[in-house]
Structures are given as structure tokens and as C-alpha cells.
């Protein structure tokens, strides 16, 4: 089976890691961001005009050092050992990165993530269709909605951004749960 996996807050702990950079760039305190549950992926509307400048200043430099979830490499390895093809689909483009593929390959190597293919695109639903994806793991509700519309089964990875959002899809907290759920879906 072809399984698509997002990176930020699915394989990694990006939300918390990026907060100090968001605080630095936007001139606010880390405590304020923590109190208001704000990071790179859910900037207030008044800050969004500067989002591209933020990305260009930090992403190439800091993304390869993003900490991975403790069980991410294990979970992906388990799925591959069970015969599944792993396609990493991440919303990274040259609008945000000098070289999104190279930066992402370095990051995945740092996290010891084994995968079969890497796709950098903002249109994850289209990528899922082209790669004949069966199951898609992501932390953003909007991405899960998009892939569900093209008959791909989403699994929502809980993250600080989405815990207050309602979702009709199964949720997981870690890669042990993700592997167990995928196996139950494929039996």
C-alpha cells in the first residue's frame, strides 16, 4: 500500500521548536506565544503579511535541525518492513526555501527517516492522487479535508495547533498509535 506522510508536526515537533524563532522575528515573547498557542503554522492575521519574510529568513537554516518525534523513525521503518511504500509529501516550495528538496532530504537524514519518495508541493491532494495513496498522515485538518475529497483515508496526527479543532478522521498521538491504526485498517 502507498502511505503518504507529512513532516512538520507529524514526523517532527515543529510547532514548539519554531516558537523561539517566531518570537525573535515578530518581536514578542516566547511566553506570549505559548500562552496564545501560536507558532509558525497559525500566525495571527496581523502577522501573516510577514510570513514569507519569516520563512526566507529561517527555514533553510533551521528546518534541518528540527527535532523528530521519538518514535517517528521507528514507525516509518515498521511500515516499510510490512511492505508499505512511504511517500513523504510536504508543503515546501521555492517560495519558502532556496532548495526545498535538499533542505528536506537533509532534515529526513538527520531524523533517520527511511522513505521511498519525497514530494514537495502545496497541493497534497493532487500528489496523493498521482501516487495512488491509500492512507495519508498529516497534522493539518485542511490537508486531511483535501485528501478525503479525492478518496484518500486521512489520519490526523495530534499537534498543538489542531487539538481544539473538530475532525471526523481518526486521530493519533504518536507513531505507535499510527502504526497500530494503519495495521487495523489494512487487515
Amino acid at each position: 500500500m502507498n502511505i503518504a506522510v507529512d513532516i512538520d508536526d507529524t514526523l517532527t515537533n515543529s510547532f514548539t521548536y519554531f516558537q523561539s524563532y517566531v518570537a525573535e522575528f515578530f518581536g514578542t515573547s516566547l511566553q506570549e506565544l505559548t500562552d496564545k498557542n501560536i507558532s509558525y503554522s497559525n500566525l495571527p492575521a496581523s502577522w501573516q503579511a510577514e510570513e514569507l519574510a519569516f520563512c526566507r529568513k529561517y527555514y533553510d537554516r533551521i528546518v534541518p535541525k528540527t527535532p523528530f518525534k521519538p518514535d517517528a523513525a521507528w514507525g516509518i521503518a515498521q511500515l516499510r518492513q510490512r511492505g508499505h511504500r512511504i511517500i513523504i509529501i510536504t508543503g515546501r516550495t521555492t517560495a519558502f526555501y532556496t532548495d526545498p528538496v535538499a533542505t528536506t532530504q537533509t532534515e529526513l537524514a538527520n531524523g533517520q527517516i527511511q522513505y521511498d519518495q519525497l514530494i514537495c508541493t502545496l497541493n497534497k491532494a493532487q500528489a496523493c492522487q498521482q501516487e495512488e495513496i491509500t492512507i495519508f498522515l498529516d497534522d493539518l485538518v485542511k490537508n486531511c479535508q483535501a485528501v478525503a475529497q479525492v478518496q484518500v483515508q486521512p489520519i490526523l496526527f495530534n499537534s498543538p495547533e489542531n487539538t481544539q479543532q473538530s475532525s471526523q478522521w481518526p486521530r493519533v498521538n504518536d507513531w505507535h498509535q499510527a502504526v497500530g491504526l494503519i495495521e487495523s485498517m489494512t487487515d
Side-chain angles (χ1 to χ4, degrees):
M1 167 182 339
N2 295 332
I3 299 173
V5 180
D6 172 55
I7 298 173
D8 295 307
D9 292 312
T10 303
L11 290 171
T12 65
N13 289 316
S14 305
F15 193 90
T16 305
Y17 171 69
F18 277 68
Q19 280 184 315
S20 63
Y21 299 102
V22 171
E24 177 182 272
F25 185 83
F26 290 101
T28 188
S29 71
L30 186 55
Q31 188 62 53
E32 179 184 359
L33 295 178
T34 301
D35 291 348
K36 294 180 179 178
N37 200 38
I38 296 171
S39 188
Y40 74 101
S41 59
N42 65 343
L43 297 174
S46 61
W47 297 0
Q48 289 177 2
E50 296 297 317
E51 183 175 14
L52 185 56
F54 169 79
C55 296
R56 289 180 183 245
K57 179 175 181 176
Y58 292 100
Y59 280 9
D60 288 322
R61 179 171 48 94
I62 68 170
V63 164
K65 300 173 191 169
T66 306
F68 280 78
K69 294 181 182 296
D71 55 357
W74 172 87
I76 295 298
Q78 288 296 306
L79 294 173
R80 289 185 84 228
Q81 287 172 10
R82 294 172 185 180
H84 301 297
R85 185 169 173 255
I86 303 299
I87 297 94
I88 305 293
I89 302 179
T90 184
R92 300 176 179 185
T93 69
T94 55
F96 308 120
Y97 295 82
T98 302
D99 186 340
V101 172
T103 300
T104 303
Q105 287 172 332
T106 300
E107 178 185 23
L108 293 169
N110 289 345
Q112 301 177 336
I113 303 297
Q114 303 168 7
Y115 57 96
D116 298 289
Q117 186 175 352
L118 169 63
I119 300 172
C120 294
T121 181
L122 294 175
N123 192 338
K124 293 182 178 188
Q126 182 181 43
C128 284
Q129 282 184 300
Q130 290 172 344
E131 297 303 318
E132 299 178 357
I133 301 299
T134 304
I135 295 174
F136 172 79
L137 291 101
D138 201 301
D139 67 300
L140 295 179
V141 171
K142 68 179 182 178
N143 289 336
C144 290
Q145 290 170 334
V147 302
Q149 290 176 358
V150 296
Q151 282 64 57
V152 174
Q153 172 61 56
I155 296 174
L156 186 62
F157 220 102
N158 282 330
S159 73
E161 182 183 349
N162 73 30
T163 55
Q164 300 303 314
Q165 296 175 326
S166 63
S167 167
Q168 65 193 53
W169 304 288
R171 287 179 177 262
V172 294
N173 292 310
D174 59 44
W175 277 95
H176 288 273
Q177 288 180 354
V179 169
L181 179 59
I182 291 168
E183 288 307 302
S184 74
M185 296 166 99
T186 59
D187 286 342

